[in-house]
Amino acid sequence: MSAPILDLHALPSMPATLLRAALPFGKSRGGTALPDLTLRAHGCRASPVLLERYRAACGFDADGFLPITYPQVLATPLHLRLLGLPDFPYSALGIVHVRNHLQQHRRLPDTAALTVACRFDGQREVPAGHEFDIQTRVEAQDSGELLWEAVSTMLRRHAPRKDRDGTRKAPPPEDARFASSRPASWTIPADTGRRYARASGDFNPIHLTAVTAKPFGFPRAIAHGMWTLARCVAELGEAAQADALRLDCDFKKPLLLPSRVTFQTARESAGVAFRVLSEEGKPHLVGRLG
C-alpha cells in the first residue's frame, strides 16, 4: 500500500518549519519508526530574486534553466516539515546530511511550475548511528512528467564515545583518480553561510556566525553542504548543462568559515569525479557528475 499523501498548495514557510523541526517537544519516545506520509506541494516556482541570489552565491550563470542542485532548495521546506512531524522520533537538531544522489531527467526551465513530493524511506543502523533517507520527486505540474528526483541520506549520530585504547583511525588511502589532477585553490569567505541562507531560506544557526555555531559544537560557522556541492557543480561548467545527469556526493568533513580549500577533478569514462580538500588534505566533499 502506498503512503498517504498530504497535498499542500504552497511550500511551507521556512522560518516556522525550521523552528518546528528543531524543537524536541511532542516527539515520540522509545521508537525509531518513521512517519509513513508523502508531503506534496503544487505550484512551486523558483523566485527570480532568490534564484539570482543563489546563482551569485554559488557561481552559476543565468541560462534560463535551474542548476541541477536547485530543486533541492525548493524541496528543503518539505524535508523540514517531515522532520517536524509529531510522530518523527527525533529532534532535527544534530541530524547530519551525509550523502546525496540526484537524478535529472530533463533540464528544468527556471520559470517552470512544479510539483514537489517528499517522503521518508530506507532507515538502517550504521556504526555511527541511525541513517534514513528522504526521497524527493519533482514533476512538471501541467503534465506530471518526472523531471528530477533525489535521495538525501541523513544521519542521527549515537552519543559520542571515546576510544577505549586511545588509538586513532588510520587515514583513508589516497584516491588514485586525482593523482594527475590540477588543483584549484578557493578562498571561502566568512559570510558564505549567510549569503547562501539569504538565497535558500535555510537560516540554520550553524551556518551563520561563530557566535551562533558555537552552542552546537563548532568553533566557527560551517558552510552548507549543499552550497559546497553547488559550488563544485558551477565550476564544472558545460559538463553540468546536459539534459540527463546523475550527481552523487558524500559529505565528509565540515567546512569551517572562512577557509582555503583545494578543488580537484578527474575525468572518467562516463563523467567527472571531483572533491574539495582542506588545507590539511582531508576531504570535505567527494562527488561524481555523469
Side-chain angles (χ1 to χ4, degrees), residues 84-160:
L85 290 173
D87 50 347
F88 180 69
Y90 318 115
S91 167
L93 290 176
I95 290 178
V96 183
H97 190 180
V98 292
R99 285 188 301 280
N100 234 36
H101 304 286
L102 313 179
Q103 183 75 52
Q104 178 180 277
H105 300 286
R106 182 164 66 82
R107 295 193 80 187
L108 284 67
D110 57 16
T111 58
L114 306 168
T115 297
V116 183
C118 304
R119 67 180 179 89
F120 288 119
D121 192 28
Q123 60 176 327
R124 57 205 161 267
E125 290 291 332
V126 296
H130 188 83
E131 276 188 0
F132 61 90
D133 299 327
I134 300 178
Q135 291 195 353
T136 304
R137 290 170 59 92
V138 176
E139 301 173 351
Q141 182 174 280
D142 54 354
S143 66
E145 177 190 2
L146 178 62
L147 302 174
W148 186 97
E149 57 188 320
V151 176
S152 303
T153 300
M154 319 301 284
L155 171 68
R156 180 181 183 269
R157 294 188 185 278
H158 292 314

Side-chain angles (χ1 to χ4, degrees), residues 5-262:
I5 298 172
L6 175 61
D7 278 310
L8 307 172
H9 296 290
L11 290 170
S13 164
M14 275 293 286
T17 306
L18 181 61
L19 179 61
R20 187 179 299 111
L23 292 175
F25 307 112
K27 298 296 183 182
S28 59
R29 298 289 184 262
T32 59
L34 301 177
D36 186 23
L37 177 68
T38 295
L39 295 178
R40 186 168 62 187
H42 301 277
C44 304
R45 295 179 187 269
S47 158
V49 172
L50 297 183
L51 180 57
E52 182 180 0
R53 291 178 187 171
Y54 181 87
R55 286 169 170 151
C58 302
F60 290 104
D61 294 325
D63 61 0
F65 295 95
L66 298 180
I68 186 175
T69 50
Y70 195 79
Q72 183 95 10
V73 174
L74 295 176
T76 297
L78 293 178
H79 290 189
L80 293 173
R81 180 78 173 266
L82 285 173
L83 298 179
L85 290 173
D87 50 347
F88 180 69
Y90 318 115
S91 167
L93 290 176
I95 290 178
V96 183
H97 190 180
V98 292
R99 285 188 301 280
N100 234 36
H101 304 286
L102 313 179
Q103 183 75 52
Q104 178 180 277
H105 300 286
R106 182 164 66 82
R107 295 193 80 187
L108 284 67
D110 57 16
T111 58
L114 306 168
T115 297
V116 183
C118 304
R119 67 180 179 89
F120 288 119
D121 192 28
Q123 60 176 327
R124 57 205 161 267
E125 290 291 332
V126 296
H130 188 83
E131 276 188 0
F132 61 90
D133 299 327
I134 300 178
Q135 291 195 353
T136 304
R137 290 170 59 92
V138 176
E139 301 173 351
Q141 182 174 280
D142 54 354
S143 66
E145 177 190 2
L146 178 62
L147 302 174
W148 186 97
E149 57 188 320
V151 176
S152 303
T153 300
M154 319 301 284
L155 171 68
R156 180 181 183 269
R157 294 188 185 278
H158 292 314
R161 294 185 304 174
K162 294 183 178 179
D163 225 2
R164 291 181 180 178
D165 58 6
T167 59
R168 294 183 176 181
K169 293 182 179 179
E174 175 58 28
D175 193 332
R177 294 178 298 175
F178 299 97
S180 60
S181 171
R182 294 182 178 180
S185 180
W186 293 352
T187 298
I188 314 298
D191 68 346
T192 298
R194 297 189 292 277
R195 293 179 65 214
Y196 187 79
R198 287 192 290 269
S200 66
D202 185 353
F203 284 87
N204 187 323
I206 64 174
H207 303 304
L208 303 181
T209 68
V211 172
T212 56
K214 282 180 180 178
F216 301 94
F218 298 102
R220 306 195 303 274
I222 63 172
H224 293 72
M226 288 303 298
W227 174 86
T228 309
L229 178 59
R231 179 70 185 85
C232 292
V233 173
E235 193 72 11
L236 295 176
E238 291 184 1
Q241 295 172 5
D243 256 349
L245 284 173
R246 179 179 175 93
L247 176 63
D248 301 311
C249 79
D250 290 275
F251 301 107
K252 299 290 190 179
K253 170 185 169 64
L255 198 166
L256 295 171
L257 300 172
S259 281
R260 289 183 60 85
V261 299
T262 299

